[in-house]
Amino acid sequence: MKNVTCLRKAVSWPLALLLVMVAATFWGCSAPIPYRLTPMAGDNVGEVNAAVCVENDSISVKVLASTYGSGLGLVGGLIDSGVNSKRKKEAIEMIAPLKDKTKDINFRDALRDALLPILKELSWPQVADLKTKSKSALITLAEVNERSHLEIHSTYQLSPTAEVLEIATGFALYPKRGTKAIVVGNVRYSSERIGKFEENDEAIALWAENDAAAYRQALTLGVEETVKMLKLALPYAGGKSQLPLANEVRTMKIRIKHGRGDYGIKQPGTTITGWIVEENDQRMIFQSQSGSFVSFPKSDIINPNKK
């Protein structure tokens, strides 16, 4: 229950930090937390102003923090600081060819434009207005003075080894005249890996070739899948959609994390339990027992026949 306590303390944090808490709970908690209001509580939300926050203006490579110096005090901290600085510099250099080919892409506006018609047609929440933001911050009383507020925070990055495009999106709903979130949730998209075994500079070269055609296709699909999952996740959070059937629960192991980016270290896979929401020959949308949604290529399933 440690994650429950942490999440309750975090409800007044900027959503960028809330998103980290939600993701950690989804992937690491042995007792999944449902992010769902009762139908009556959902009815009390009323009209909502919404904001889409995307802080990064261009694509980047995810840099995982070093833990080499863990337990070594000040010396360890200096070691980690040096390693992190080196990793960030290498990531900036690595991504440059792809950034040069994608200067015309505005992910923030693309997500807003795709999300707006979906939010308008949802019966819950009843969104009256949608704006964009480039910085996550604490919700102020001014933002919840007239209506409830829905904050959506999204990040898009290549994995540490650069072969997968990842889009992580969290949301939090704040009631009218309230600056603490009453419900949170998240959705996550992972693309097909580029090539077969290419990583780092080789993967970037594949993403960038032909005017970044593969990257543009993966990003477009990522926006579509993110909006599709939010269309499912928001009514669920409001207590307005039916609960999945207990006898349809599935457990599977998927390769949702993609390496550490140095020394070729691979992730062993993550076990998820919940429900298959949608699938075709290439992809699957899966809802965890906590209510979080993930869209991933079926090639990432490690044990596809496990029930």
Side-chain angles (χ1 to χ4, degrees), residues 15-231:
L15 190 58
L17 298 180
L18 269 180
L19 178 57
V20 174
M21 295 296 298
V22 172
T25 302
F26 177 34
W27 299 113
C29 183
S30 59
I33 306 167
Y35 302 118
R36 182 176 172 90
L37 297 173
T38 64
M40 183 177 296
D43 290 340
N44 291 332
V45 168
E47 284 194 332
V48 172
N49 288 331
V52 175
C53 179
V54 179
E55 297 192 44
N56 49 319
D57 291 321
S58 59
I59 188 62
S60 61
V61 175
K62 186 176 182 180
V63 178
L64 299 184
S66 168
T67 57
Y68 293 143
S70 178
L72 298 178
L74 179 59
V75 173
L78 292 173
I79 292 173
D80 285 338
S81 178
V83 172
N84 290 336
S85 178
K86 181 175 181 290
R87 287 181 181 177
K88 290 177 182 178
K89 181 180 179 181
E90 290 174 346
I92 291 171
E93 293 173 351
M94 187 196 311
I95 199 68
L98 181 58
K99 288 183 70 172
D100 186 58
K101 295 286 185 68
T102 57
K103 293 178 180 178
D104 60 309
I105 296 177
N106 188 317
F107 175 79
R108 187 182 300 115
D109 288 350
L111 181 59
R112 177 203 60 202
D113 292 346
L115 190 56
L116 181 58
I118 298 300
L119 291 179
K120 290 292 186 180
E121 73 180 44
L122 286 178
S123 59
W124 197 99
Q126 297 176 20
V127 176
D129 180 58
L130 176 66
K131 65 179 182 179
T132 58
K133 298 167 63 175
S134 60
K135 186 173 179 60
S136 182
L138 291 172
I139 299 301
T140 65
L141 283 173
E143 291 174 290
V144 291
N145 183 45
E146 296 182 356
R147 296 188 179 107
S148 297
H149 180 81
L150 175 65
E151 186 84 352
I152 300 171
H153 186 281
S154 192
T155 61
Y156 65 111
Q157 294 178 302
L158 296 184
S159 62
T161 43
E163 87 278 26
V164 173
L165 173 64
E166 301 173 343
I167 301 176
T169 304
F171 63 85
L173 192 138
Y174 301 80
K176 184 177 179 179
R177 290 188 289 274
T179 57
K180 290 187 177 181
I182 56 173
V183 67
V184 295
N186 79 324
V187 305
R188 176 180 172 135
Y189 160 86
S190 292
S191 75
E192 288 274 6
R193 65 173 294 155
I194 194 81
K196 291 185 177 180
F197 304 106
E198 287 81 4
E199 296 180 354
N200 302 323
D201 292 337
E202 293 80 6
I204 295 295
L206 290 178
W207 285 121
E209 69 179 15
N210 297 323
D211 195 32
Y215 172 76
R216 292 173 189 273
Q217 183 178 9
L219 191 68
T220 298
L221 178 59
V223 170
E224 292 173 357
E225 292 290 283
T226 296
V227 170
K228 185 188 298 182
M229 289 186 288
L230 286 172
K231 186 177 179 180

